[in-house]
């Protein structure tokens, strides 16, 4: 399955086919602990329709505010909108996305560091993110 020409990780496909990943309270709390560069974490992972809708952002004039900034200290810092697929939110106006600039898409989120917007690696891939939010650190 792909969205916007980007092939989805098999674990995400399975989640979407089952109606999306609904996070219980423990999973939400574990995910909140990872989102340390947003003011008020309100994490949510989207279903297929919400993913498609949210990625319309990349075609709008507002996209410029969501590209992040290149940084020597924050990985990845910025994004290429053609290789980024929003799959959720860390809080309103702070997307969680897959970054397809790596061999296996990493999971990133838009956060604030020193009053500047940067994309921050959340997990090396979607499967690792799900494992962490289900079971905590291994």
């Amino acid at each position: 399955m792909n969205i916007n020409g980007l092939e989805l990780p098999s674990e995400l496909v399975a989640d979407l086919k089952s109606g999306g990943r609904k996070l219980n309270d423990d999973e939400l709390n574990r995910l909140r602990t990872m989102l340390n560069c947003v003011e008020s974490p309100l994490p949510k992972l989207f279903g297929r329709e919400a993913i498609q809708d949210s990625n319309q952002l990349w075609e709008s004039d507002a996209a410029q505010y969501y590209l992040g900034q290149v940084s020597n200290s924050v990985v990845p810092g910025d994004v290429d909108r053609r290789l980024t697929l929003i799959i959720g939110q860390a809080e309103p106006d702070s997307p969680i996305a897959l970054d397809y600039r790596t061999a296996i898409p990493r999971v990133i989120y838009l956060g604030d560091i020193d009053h500047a917007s940067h994309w921050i690696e959340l997990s090396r891939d979607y499967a690792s993110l799900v494992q962490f939010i289900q079971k905590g650190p291994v």
Side-chain angles (χ1 to χ4, degrees):
M1 174 186 301
N2 74 59
I3 297 177
N4 294 349
L6 300 169
E7 190 66 30
L8 302 181
S10 59
E11 299 85 0
L12 178 54
V13 171
D15 285 346
L16 295 178
K17 285 183 177 179
S18 68
R21 176 156 294 280
K22 308 287 189 284
L23 302 174
N24 64 39
D25 289 341
D26 289 337
E27 292 170 333
L28 280 169
N29 286 333
R30 281 192 282 277
L31 184 51
R32 279 186 191 106
T33 66
M34 300 172 73
L35 301 169
N36 54 7
C37 292
V38 293
E39 190 172 318
S40 303
L42 296 169
K44 181 189 297 187
L45 296 176
F46 297 153
R48 184 179 179 152
E49 187 174 310
I51 289 173
Q52 290 172 317
D53 290 346
S54 64
N55 280 280
Q56 292 176 13
L57 165 74
W58 300 125
E59 303 304 320
S60 73
D61 292 337
Q64 65 183 326
Y65 302 109
Y66 291 87
L67 296 175
Q69 297 180 20
V70 176
S71 171
N72 292 327
S73 60
V74 181
V75 176
D78 67 344
V79 293
D80 178 339
R81 66 173 121 196
R82 296 166 297 158
L83 297 173
T84 303
L85 187 70
I86 298 168
I87 61 167
Q89 71 173 36
E91 66 180 3
D93 288 328
S94 177
I96 295 173
L98 295 174
D99 180 5
Y100 285 82
R101 295 178 295 175
T102 54
I104 298 173
R106 64 185 158 197
V107 183
I108 58 177
Y109 73 102
L110 186 64
D112 181 68
I113 298 175
D114 296 328
H115 307 291
S117 292
H118 295 283
W119 285 90
I120 302 148
E121 185 171 308
L122 184 59
S123 181
R124 66 180 177 192
D125 57 39
Y126 183 80
S128 298
L129 175 66
V130 169
Q131 181 179 0
F132 181 86
I133 62 177
Q134 286 179 331
K135 300 175 184 170
V138 271

